[in-house]
């Protein structure tokens, strides 16, 4: 059975009504990264940071997975599938994807501000009694899941990239960890930075909810063993 590694960004959740970051109507058009997504902001402007992520949580809970998330989950019927996502929402899991690695953290959890390994569900008591903080990788912080994600990317027979500008590193460099010659399919209606992709590339310029089900059909036709 072929292995598909699916690498996603905010665009896969755009059709569920969640804003992306760098599009003209994206979050970074209304907020400054340094006000809500840095360790310094959390230290000096805690209420603003917490308020920003509480808003993201409310929107996530009101949203539903779209046909893009569902098509990705459905690939598990015919392929071995691992999802590597930059998203902090849980829409891949709610659509039924069983192996999801979150590179930039998760809104459904909080973590100890003293020990980054102590992660707890939202409603659990603080695991070590220290102040809790969003389980989000802020700009300027290390990306602890990157090594694991790179390792998974190396095992791909096919890579699918959906709804990411490929602008944020190290996450964006995952497209360089696939083995030479492995095909990469990109679903995105905009202009993701594909300059770093050295593998055979197919760009499908469509929204995730439309392009991903089409790509799933094509992958079955071409690669289903
Ligand atoms: P961006 O906002 O940078 O990019 C969103 C991508 O989704 C763009 O390439 C859009 O063209 C595409 N897009 C828009 N609508 C779409 C749709 N309906 N279907 C498919 N694609 C669509 O978001 P990311 O690449 O995810 O990090 O951003 C990476 C990281 O930057 C995020 O994880 C976040 C952010 O700052 C942190 O907060 C740490």
């Amino acid at each position: 059975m072929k292995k598909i590694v699916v690498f996603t960004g905010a665009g896969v959740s755009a059709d569920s009504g969640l804003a992306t970051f760098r599009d003209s109507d994206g979050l970074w058009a209304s907020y400054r990264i340094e006000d809500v997504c840095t360790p310094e902001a959390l230290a000096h402007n805690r209420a603003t940071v917490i308020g920003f992520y509480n808003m993201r949580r409310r929107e996530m809970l009101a949203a539903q997975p779209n046909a893009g998330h569902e098509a990705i989950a459905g690939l598990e019927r015919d392929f071995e599938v691992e999802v590597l996502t930059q998203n902090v929402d849980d829409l891949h899991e709610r659509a039924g994807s069983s192996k999801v690695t979150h590179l930039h953290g998760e809104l459904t959890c909080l973590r100890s501000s003293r020990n980054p390994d102590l992660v707890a569900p939202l409603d659990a008591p603080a695991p070590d009694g220290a102040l809790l903080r969003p389980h989000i990788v802020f700009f300027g912080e290390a990306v602890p899941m990157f090594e694991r994600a790179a390792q998974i990317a190396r095992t791909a027979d096919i890579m699918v990239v959906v709804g990411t500008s490929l602008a944020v590193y190290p996450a964006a460099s995952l497209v360089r960890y696939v083995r030479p010659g492995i095909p990469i399919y990109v679903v995105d209606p905009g202009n993701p930075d594909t300059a770093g992709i050295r593998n055979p590339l197919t760009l499908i310029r469509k929204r995730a909810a439309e392009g991903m089900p089409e790509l799933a059909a094509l992958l079955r036709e071409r690669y289903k063993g």
Side-chain angles (χ1 to χ4, degrees):
M1 201 187 258
K2 297 264 191 211
K3 175 155 180 181
I4 305 183
V5 173
V6 184
F7 174 43
T8 68
V12 75
S13 296
D15 289 328
S16 295
L18 301 182
T20 63
F21 294 94
R22 291 174 186 76
D23 289 304
S24 57
D25 56 353
L27 288 167
W28 297 153
S30 314
Y31 297 89
R32 297 189 326 160
I33 289 176
E34 56 271 37
D35 289 341
V36 293
C37 197
T38 61
E40 294 76 21
L42 183 67
H44 303 298
N45 243 328
R46 191 174 167 85
T48 308
V49 176
I50 301 293
F52 176 78
Y53 287 104
N54 281 342
M55 213 176 323
R56 306 282 77 76
R57 263 185 212 104
R58 277 195 293 274
E59 289 171 0
M60 172 187 83
L61 291 171
Q64 299 300 328
N66 65 61
H69 299 103
E70 279 156 13
I72 292 166
L75 288 171
E76 293 189 19
R77 289 194 293 273
D78 298 303
F79 300 98
E80 197 183 334
V81 181
E82 295 237 29
V83 177
L84 311 176
T85 187
Q86 297 163 88
N87 297 347
V88 294
D89 67 53
D90 62 355
L91 296 180
H92 282 302
E93 286 89 344
R94 280 156 61 195
S97 283
S98 58
K99 290 186 187 162
V100 184
T101 300
H102 288 267
L103 284 148
H104 292 160
E106 293 173 73
L107 286 170
T108 53
C109 298
L110 296 170
R111 73 168 188 249
S112 161
S113 40
R114 200 182 300 145
N115 179 352
D117 295 331
L118 288 179
V119 177
L122 273 182
D123 48 4
D128 61 352
L131 197 59
L132 288 166
R133 56 158 276 177
H135 180 39
I136 300 286
V137 175
F138 292 137
F139 282 88
E141 292 184 325
V143 182
M145 296 309 262
F146 182 77
E147 268 315 310
R148 180 195 151 109
Q151 198 55 47
I152 292 169
R154 282 188 193 103
T155 64
D157 296 312
I158 301 150
M159 179 175 252
V160 172
V161 179
V162 191
T164 172
S165 58
L166 295 172
V168 173
Y169 285 79
S173 70
L174 285 173
V175 298
R176 310 276 296 238
Y177 284 79
V178 289
R179 288 168 292 149
I182 295 294
I184 301 187
Y185 295 85
V186 176
V187 178
D188 196 304
N191 292 301
D193 181 6
T194 56
I197 297 181
R198 293 171 292 197
N199 289 50
L201 170 67
T202 307
L203 179 55
I204 299 166
R205 282 196 191 274
K206 290 190 176 176
R207 294 180 302 111
E210 189 191 351
M212 195 52 232
E214 287 180 19
L215 176 58
L218 182 136
L219 294 174
R220 284 195 176 89
E221 227 174 83
R222 283 194 187 161
Y223 305 106
K224 187 177 154 182

